[in-house]
Amino acid sequence: MAAVTLLSTDGLCRHFGGLRAVDGVDFSLNRGEVRAIIGPNGAGKTTFVSLICGRILPSSGSITFEGRNISALPAHRRVELGIAYTFQITSIFGNLSVFDNVALAVQNSMHRAGGSFFWLDEAQMRRRIFEALDHVGLDDRHDVKASALSYGHQRLLEVAMGLALSPKLLILDEPTQGLSDAEIAGFCKLVRSIAEDATVLLIEHNMDVVMEVAGRITVMNNGTILSEGTPAEIRDDEAVQHAYLGT
């Protein structure tokens, strides 16, 4: 089956004064991929995905999602179209239960019909919440206060909040930061299961994780794409070794 492009950018730029944080990036992501974006600190990775999800708008260039130009759409409209970015939903409310934290994310996932908004009904909401919690293994902790969760489980709660939005594209920014080896192994398994229903784009510094879960890797440096390829191709790329892998 031929690959179907889910998301693409054309000449995407974001400048902050004289700083070219993202500088003319042409990028394409196929439906069903697990794609990793790597690069040294300051490479433009987080700015790039912030442009994709609408947290910031481009200085120039365009972003296309499912054939539609979304360059000027605000973040909440992109969520409605199916783009979820964990950075938008990592404000866990410690005094609320795990269930209620995910409920807040679901309530922000409104559908537009005839120019007006309507909410999911209670049964739909509960089903979506428990499906998301079950996916990350937190369904048995639904009534626990978020503040009582371990750090690793809080990160899983963040992922559940993203999954509850029923995304077509789930963007994860440094999802394994601070996790134990056992938690990282569980996260890799989780990403593979998420990819059965959604496209995954992740920024990640843990190269073992990148090499295990990503089908393709995009390497950024100085606001541009330095290289793209399979894990094996990136591992053997001399320019990447020099700029990022330190070899």
Side-chain angles (χ1 to χ4, degrees):
M1 183 180 295
V4 177
T5 300
L6 177 70
L7 174 96
S8 63
T9 70
D10 182 17
L12 192 64
C13 296
R14 176 65 193 200
H15 302 160
F16 299 96
L19 174 64
R20 297 175 178 266
V22 173
D23 193 14
V25 170
D26 298 329
F27 175 83
S28 182
L29 180 67
N30 291 331
R31 191 184 304 277
E33 269 195 86
V34 177
R35 176 77 66 88
I37 299 179
I38 67 172
N41 290 334
K45 306 181 297 296
T46 294
T47 301
F48 178 63
V49 296
S50 295
L51 289 166
I52 290 173
C53 74
R55 288 188 63 242
I56 57 176
L57 297 180
S59 302
S60 60
S62 64
I63 306 164
T64 302
F65 183 71
E66 293 192 312
R68 173 179 179 175
N69 189 324
I70 63 169
S71 308
L73 289 183
H76 74 273
R77 289 289 292 118
R78 300 188 199 195
V79 171
E80 293 168 21
L81 293 177
I83 299 175
Y85 181 25
T86 54
F87 190 85
Q88 294 175 314
I89 49 178
T90 51
S91 296
I92 289 175
F93 294 92
N95 288 329
L96 295 181
S97 69
V98 167
F99 180 94
D100 287 342
N101 270 273
V102 181
L104 288 175
V106 175
Q107 288 172 346
N108 286 326
S109 176
M110 296 181 293
H111 299 275
R112 184 183 292 273
S116 61
F117 291 109
F118 64 93
W119 300 98
L120 295 170
D121 65 34
E122 183 177 355
Q124 290 173 318
M125 182 179 294
R126 289 185 62 85
R127 181 170 63 251
R128 186 179 291 190
I129 291 168
F130 275 106
E131 285 175 352
L133 291 175
D134 179 66
H135 206 150
V136 303
L138 290 178
D139 51 310
D140 62 344
R141 293 175 171 85
H142 69 276
D143 57 350
V144 174
K145 281 189 176 182
S147 60
L149 295 176
S150 69
Y151 181 77
H153 284 153
Q154 288 181 0
R155 299 305 298 268
L156 290 176
L157 175 56
E158 295 166 4
V159 175
M161 292 166 71
L163 290 175
L165 301 177
S166 298
K168 299 173 183 177
L169 171 61
L170 179 62
I171 303 173
L172 304 171
D173 196 342
E174 298 290 350
T176 67
Q177 185 176 25
L179 300 188
S180 68
D181 289 344
E183 289 169 335
I184 288 173
F187 170 79
C188 291
K189 182 178 179 181
L190 174 61
V191 168
R192 287 191 287 269
S193 69
I194 292 172
E196 296 175 3
D197 301 307
T199 302
V200 179
L201 179 64
L202 70 153
I203 297 174
E204 181 57 63
H205 277 108
N206 187 320
M207 290 304 298
D208 290 337
V209 171
V210 169
M211 294 298 176
E212 180 174 346
V213 304
R216 287 181 63 80
I217 300 169
T218 297
V219 185
M220 293 190 68
N221 193 35
N222 296 323
T224 64
I225 292 179
L226 175 65
S227 183
E228 288 187 310
T230 65
E233 290 168 340
I234 294 301
R235 187 184 292 112
D236 295 336
D237 189 311
E238 291 184 2
V240 175
Q241 293 170 3
H242 177 72
Y244 182 55
L245 300 180
T247 59

